[in-house]
Amino acid sequence: MIIATGTASGKSLAYLLPAATEIFQGGSVLYLTPTKALAADQLRALRRLHLTQIRAATFDGDTPAEERRWIRQNANYVLTNPDMLHRSILPRHASWSSFWRRLRLVVVDECHGYRGVFGSHVAQILRRLRRVCAKYGSRPVFLLASATASDPAVAAMRLTGLEMAEVTRDASPRGSTTFALWEPPLTDLRGEGGAPVRRTATAEAADLLADLVIEDVRTLAFVRSRRAAETVALTARRNLDEVEDLLRAGPHGQPASAFEDVDEYGELSPYGPAHLHGHGGRGGGGRGDLASDVGADAAADVAADLPADMAAGLPADVGVDGRDLSRPEEGGHHPGDGGPDLLGPGRLADRVAAYRAGYLADDRRMLEKALRSGELTGLATTNALELGVDVSGLDAVLIAGWPGTRASLWQQAGRAGRAGQDALAVLIARDDPLDTYIVHHPEAVFGQPVETIVLDPDNPYVLAPHLCAAAAEIPLTEDDLEIFGPAAPAALDDLVERGLLRKRASGWFWTSKERAADLADIRGTGGAPVQVVEASTGRLLGTVDESSAHTSVHAGAVYLHQGETFVVDVLDLEAGVALVTAASPDYSTFARDVTDIRVMESSRSRPFGPGELHFGSVEVTRQVVSYLKRRTQSGEILGEEPLDLPPRTLCTRAVWWTLPADALVPLVSDSGDGTVDLGGSAHAAEHASIGLLPLFATCDRWDIGGVSTELHPDTGLLTVFVYDGHDGGAGFAERGYARATEWLTATREAIASCECERGCPSCIQSPKCGNGNEPLDKAGAIRLLDVLLPR
């Protein structure tokens, strides 16, 4: 069964009742959630029932080692996450034998978050779970809960491999929500290529958060990264301190000095208060805080049962001003230390804090409690608080940048007004084509159904490592193949040929001494993460996805960690280590790369305007060849340094369109002076289409890439490719193929509606362009798409 209804519609009650019933009858329950915060919140809800028969416990990276044995042997309601299930619980299934024998119900909460490659991994983990249950004689019911989703039963069936009934009618009472679309203004400053830049979404969010706190409006501000959460909270606190200082100083007082704005990842803006630029995305690795919140949990269980934050090298809870909030002697503020009397001993700024992964578990729980009680008025958070955590009583939500999907948008907006009162939600646009399109075309969001959950359990790059993990847990037999789907036989033959599995008369066996579960990086894109280590102390600062290491921690790269700046001395790809040294350079670094794409197979095609549209398999070869040094304050290019890094090859899926030469003749002649740059037009259209695809496929722009060329050797035509940035594909390009007319029409509108003259980050510039956003032709891109789009 899947229950797919809106926020605060009673989904928790809908699974708590049958869960309690099963436990009263001697059964056990397994609860899966994407984040620790949600598991802790559900544990509180269970304990508030005061039912002594329910022995509930969370089993994640924060669980002390001494409690884990008790949980395995005694708990009948276990709350965990897919990472822990994958790396610890299933590989050690024998130590959970009594729990498996009594398992009656598996609750998969917030299942709309399991999408793309991550969702495909979770789908295989659930198949492994079904298989382990069968070994111990149990056949639990799977009950899924989700925000409203398109075709929820179909998505749930792909996730679990089981037939699904669905509940979608939502009759829950709600107050009204006023929803504002907020576009930061253009500034007088100029970015790459002289393009105008907007004030950043995070700077606007900090100002709005401070204004709402002054009005005693309880507010959550959602941002896109850990560092941005800290920065928004810090900026809001400084704003509030300025207000109090002015009030204390009286009518003749002088305001405190202004502070610099930051970009969406919390970095100081190279161009002052409006620049949004970061090459390659998430500078410290990771793909959103849902991943970083729990990604280290299971590794912690394997590594001597250390807590996840210790295993991942994450720091203790640090306040927005850099203090350790767990140390009162450092002046750390704890909720409840004092009231917010505007001119009294308590400071208004103390009612604002940051919340993100990396904090100690006790401190996260304390922040959640303070927000619920009203001791905190404003909280800047990553998407770690997006999912079902009960923070009823909130009045407003600020969303700094499109959160990726309409489902996430409504989830975040739904954090306010949960007690039935009216609420405010504000979407603050980033300097990005998709955000620009949405604020100018609200009909793209309002009145539209939420997205279909896109995942592909048969992706061979996902399926193969989970077959190995399954064989290590229990040898595979012919009867198991039905659980893993139609692609399993071919994948097993390949694994035997590669020597990863051995085929015997009774089935397939894992014979290596290595841990099979380590083959699947369920939150990443393949390959072990690269550890970032301070050379002088050996301190582990963090990790970077192997796939992004070439662009973010190459030799000479500036690496930011918790407000500290480091320069990379050495990137050792074989050892998986980047050695860094603390430094204070006045520049930032941006990698340059060269990308080639080869068509391997066009599996589907159709006429598209005067051209053709294709979907199929491609091979992408990308090599980082140099990096730029750019002065932090002025944006001045200080130089380009060569790099000697090996090329990376990705076999994936892509959607591409072509235009024949005769269709391009009017394009050039209509320009009057014949100055249309066909390559620059295609390049601009490619950038904008990458930015808009997340509106039509459940993805982030960092999950996809693109290549454009005036004459591609495999097609002999002007060609624009958009491809999935994951081995084997993730289903995003396929969605683009299916909705190409809507997608590319929106792309054209996004470019045309931007108020800049020649192109900017809000329309055709890309923050991850390896060619430095050259060449680009904004007017040419509009005309090119006019020629392409069917009329």
Side-chain angles (χ1 to χ4, degrees), residues 231-527:
T231 305
V232 167
L234 173 61
T235 305
R237 287 167 63 102
R238 286 177 175 171
N239 282 349
L240 294 168
D241 276 335
E242 278 193 358
V243 169
E244 291 200 66
D245 289 342
L246 285 170
L247 289 171
R248 291 178 189 278
H252 301 293
Q254 296 297 316
S257 60
F259 45 87
E260 293 180 273
D261 285 332
V262 294
D263 70 12
E264 65 168 313
Y265 299 109
E267 300 171 9
L268 289 177
S269 168
Y271 299 110
H275 184 62
L276 166 60
H277 194 113
H279 183 86
R282 319 295 158 84
R287 295 181 173 270
D289 215 52
L290 288 180
S292 56
D293 188 36
V294 296
D297 288 356
D301 187 54
V302 174
D305 283 350
L306 288 174
D309 295 332
M310 292 175 62
L314 296 172
D317 193 7
V318 292
V320 293
D321 54 0
R323 293 172 295 171
D324 185 344
L325 296 188
S326 66
R327 298 173 60 85
E329 62 269 26
E330 291 192 22
H333 167 74
H334 290 272
D337 284 351
D341 182 6
L342 190 59
L343 293 177
R347 301 286 293 186
L348 192 59
D350 288 339
R351 299 201 68 169
V352 176
Y355 181 102
R356 58 168 180 77
Y359 285 178
L360 297 177
D362 289 345
D363 292 319
R364 288 199 300 269
R365 303 295 90 84
M366 181 171 51
L367 287 167
E368 294 161 18
K369 180 180 178 181
L371 183 64
R372 284 193 301 272
S373 68
E375 295 174 49
L376 280 176
T377 305
L379 195 64
T381 178
T382 58
N383 55 5
L385 278 182
E386 172 184 323
L387 305 179
V389 177
D390 181 10
V391 284
S392 57
L394 290 178
D395 305 302
V397 167
L398 306 175
I399 304 169
W402 175 252
T405 64
R406 284 184 286 269
S408 289
L409 180 75
W410 298 123
Q411 280 291 108
Q412 293 183 4
R415 296 300 95 191
R418 285 172 65 90
Q421 78 273 26
D422 292 348
L424 169 69
V426 183
L427 174 63
I428 306 167
R430 291 177 298 136
D431 222 357
D432 177 90
L434 178 53
D435 291 46
T436 301
Y437 178 79
I438 287 169
V439 296
H440 289 279
H441 298 82
E443 69 277 3
V445 174
F446 300 102
Q448 296 293 324
V450 297
E451 301 84 355
T452 300
I453 300 171
V454 178
L455 59 105
D456 181 13
D458 296 327
N459 180 336
Y461 294 91
V462 171
L463 175 60
H466 286 285
L467 287 173
C468 291
E473 290 153 9
I474 309 164
L476 287 163
T477 67
E478 293 283 350
D479 293 339
D480 294 323
L481 299 187
E482 183 179 353
I483 293 178
F484 292 100
L492 285 170
D493 290 343
D494 180 63
L495 290 169
V496 171
E497 186 176 338
R498 290 159 55 191
L500 291 172
L501 293 180
R502 289 187 184 177
K503 178 72 162 52
R504 295 175 181 165
S506 56
W508 292 265
F509 292 77
W510 174 259
T511 58
S512 172
K513 295 181 180 179
E514 304 298 324
R515 283 175 43 86
D518 292 341
L519 294 175
D521 176 16
I522 74 171
R523 300 273 185 173
T525 56

Side-chain angles (χ1 to χ4, degrees), residues 611-632:
E612 285 189 335
L613 184 72
H614 296 260
F615 170 74
S617 301
V618 296
E619 182 182 79
V620 180
T621 302
R622 182 182 177 201
Q623 183 173 20
V624 175
V625 294
S626 65
Y627 68 95
L628 292 180
K629 292 182 178 179
R630 179 176 289 143
R631 194 178 298 280
T632 303

Side-chain angles (χ1 to χ4, degrees), residues 191-203:
E192 194 164 41
V197 288
R198 297 187 184 277
R199 192 159 190 261
T200 64
T202 46

